[in-house]
Amino acid sequence: MATNEEARKRRKVEEDKGVGEKALKWAEEFNALEEDDQYTYLEELAPRMTKMHLQFLQGIIGFDDDDDEGEEEFGEDDEGEEGEEDEGEGEDDA
């Protein structure tokens, strides 16, 4: 199965009419920019991107919704601990 995927990737590179090479050149140029200049490029690129482009990039980079859920759970745990303390104080009064 891996050989089929490799062949498909090779075919795709051959059929891209040089887009892959252009993308690599642009990526190298982007990487060589100062950080502020990189953000300038991203500011110009972002309005031209669709939600699907962003999801694609998140998949490549490895961001997923699990990270966001972890942050929410952290906040919920904090609230739960405070609630437990309040309940404990109420029991002492009774």
Side-chain angles (χ1 to χ4, degrees), residues 49-79:
M49 296 178 72
T50 66
K51 187 174 182 178
M52 289 181 69
H53 292 135
L54 295 174
Q55 290 173 341
F56 176 77
L57 291 173
Q58 288 173 339
I60 290 174
I61 297 169
F63 291 129
D64 55 12
D65 293 336
D66 293 342
D67 293 340
D68 293 339
E69 291 174 6
E71 290 175 8
E72 291 174 10
E73 290 173 4
F74 180 78
E76 291 171 1
D77 289 343
D78 289 345
E79 291 173 8

Side-chain angles (χ1 to χ4, degrees), residues 11-78:
R11 243 181 301 156
K12 192 173 186 178
V13 170
E14 292 171 0
E15 295 172 356
D16 76 357
K17 300 178 184 170
V19 173
E21 289 179 26
K22 291 176 186 176
L24 181 60
K25 182 179 176 185
W26 182 85
E28 289 171 348
E29 290 175 4
F30 180 82
N31 192 46
L33 293 171
E34 301 266 340
E35 186 176 2
D36 289 343
D37 294 335
Q38 288 178 341
Y39 282 106
T40 300
Y41 270 67
L42 293 173
E43 286 175 16
E44 291 298 322
L45 183 60
R48 295 165 173 84
M49 296 178 72
T50 66
K51 187 174 182 178
M52 289 181 69
H53 292 135
L54 295 174
Q55 290 173 341
F56 176 77
L57 291 173
Q58 288 173 339
I60 290 174
I61 297 169
F63 291 129
D64 55 12
D65 293 336
D66 293 342
D67 293 340
D68 293 339
E69 291 174 6
E71 290 175 8
E72 291 174 10
E73 290 173 4
F74 180 78
E76 291 171 1
D77 289 343
D78 289 345

